[in-house]
């Protein structure tokens, strides 16, 4: 019997995985992301994590939602393909 395939439609999200080690952070950010307005104008306890890792199997999706503080971010698909709607 070969390796098992993950169940379709599973999603995992981790907001703290990259916060502890700055060596894991991207070396440079696009100029549009240079200013961290959360860091400049919000107390530390109200700032959302700087990075978030999201993993999903085929057919994974999230329900329609609004992120805290109207947060928006950049997305990068490392493997496979993703359809943003």
């Amino acid at each position: 019997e070969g390796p098992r395939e993950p169940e379709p439609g599973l999603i995992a999200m981790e907001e703290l995985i990259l916060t502890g080690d700055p060596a894991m952070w991207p070396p440079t950010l696009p100029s549009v992301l240079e200013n961290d307005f959360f860091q400049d104008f919000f107390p530390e306890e109200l700032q959302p994590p700087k990075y978030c890792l999201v993993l999903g199997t085929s057919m994974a999706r999230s329900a329609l939602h609004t992120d805290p503080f109207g947060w928006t971010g950049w997305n990068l698909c490392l493997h496979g393909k993703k359809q943003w709607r």
Side-chain angles (χ1 to χ4, degrees):
E1 189 175 320
R4 285 185 48 178
E5 291 293 319
E7 289 183 38
L10 295 178
I11 190 168
M13 180 182 255
E14 175 55 61
E15 294 182 334
L16 301 177
I17 194 166
L18 300 176
T19 58
D21 185 2
M24 298 278 295
W25 298 356
T28 59
L29 295 173
S31 61
V32 70
L33 298 177
E34 287 177 353
N35 294 325
D36 186 346
F37 295 107
F38 286 113
Q39 184 176 359
D40 294 343
F41 298 109
F42 286 84
E44 186 173 344
E45 61 272 7
L46 294 178
Q47 296 173 18
K50 200 175 270 301
Y51 303 104
C52 180
L53 177 65
V54 180
L55 302 171
T57 62
S58 64
M59 306 304 290
R61 62 185 67 211
S62 67
L64 181 62
H65 65 279
T66 301
D67 291 321
F69 303 113
W71 185 86
T72 59
W74 293 88
N75 294 281
L76 172 66
C77 182
L78 296 174
H79 180 77
K81 57 186 175 180
K82 169 70 178 129
Q83 182 178 12
W84 281 273
R85 298 179 190 195

